[in-house]
Amino acid sequence: MRKILFALLVNFMMTFFAFSSSETRQFPIPNTVSTQMQSLIAKPASSWDVHPKNAQEWNQWVQDFDTAIETTLPALRQQLEVSLEANKLGNVLIFILTPKRMKKENQDRVLLNLHGRGMFLGREKQGH
């Protein structure tokens, strides 16, 4: 469960930086997260500080971003020891991440990450 929460927090952080303004704002690094997470939070989000000048540059940037995510996610899922299953709920494509090992006290818990696909980055699985 902790690993899934970590992945969701990373997803949240990427979303936050996508919609942040061009002005730099400094936020304190929380001391309520692991040292590994503190290190990740402290890193600048350089991939979001790109300003394509035309449609061709935008399309290339999106393609490069999606390719990087596509190549990164399988190793991340393996490291976090989760499996990914694509399915449909009605006509909605869904993805189910399931931990390969789970503490007994978490076996009856479910974490739902619902969003409206408002981002233009991350095709299908890459968006999750």
Side-chain angles (χ1 to χ4, degrees):
M1 183 61 100
R2 191 181 258 173
K3 292 176 183 180
I4 291 174
L5 292 174
F6 172 77
L8 290 173
L9 183 56
V10 170
N11 187 351
F12 169 78
M13 289 172 48
M14 291 174 67
T15 303
F16 172 79
F17 286 116
F19 294 106
S20 65
S21 69
S22 60
E23 297 177 19
T24 302
R25 299 181 338 180
Q26 298 294 324
F27 292 95
I29 297 171
N31 59 6
T32 56
V33 297
S34 69
T35 55
Q36 295 90 343
M37 181 54 86
Q38 288 175 354
S39 170
L40 182 63
I41 293 170
K43 290 182 182 179
S46 60
S47 65
W48 291 101
D49 195 20
V50 175
H51 308 282
K53 295 173 183 53
N54 56 48
Q56 183 179 0
E57 288 182 12
W58 268 110
N59 289 333
Q60 185 62 53
W61 184 78
V62 169
Q63 183 178 348
D64 293 346
F65 184 90
D66 286 349
T67 299
I69 295 298
E70 260 176 30
T71 58
T72 303
L73 283 182
L76 182 60
R77 285 193 297 269
Q78 184 176 2
Q79 179 184 350
L80 296 175
E81 298 184 34
V82 296
S83 63
L84 176 70
E85 174 192 350
N87 210 326
K88 278 201 169 196
L89 185 60
N91 283 334
V92 177
L93 184 61
I94 64 170
F95 298 94
I96 302 169
L97 289 168
T98 306
K100 293 182 180 172
R101 293 180 299 174
M102 191 180 311
K103 292 181 180 178
K104 188 173 183 169
E105 63 265 23
N106 292 330
Q107 289 180 351
D108 293 329
R109 294 181 177 184
V110 174
L111 174 64
L112 299 175
N113 178 19
L114 305 173
H115 62 88
R117 299 288 297 162
M119 294 178 63
F120 64 94
L121 297 173
R123 299 179 300 263
E124 295 182 357
K125 288 186 276 191
Q126 295 80 3
H128 299 6

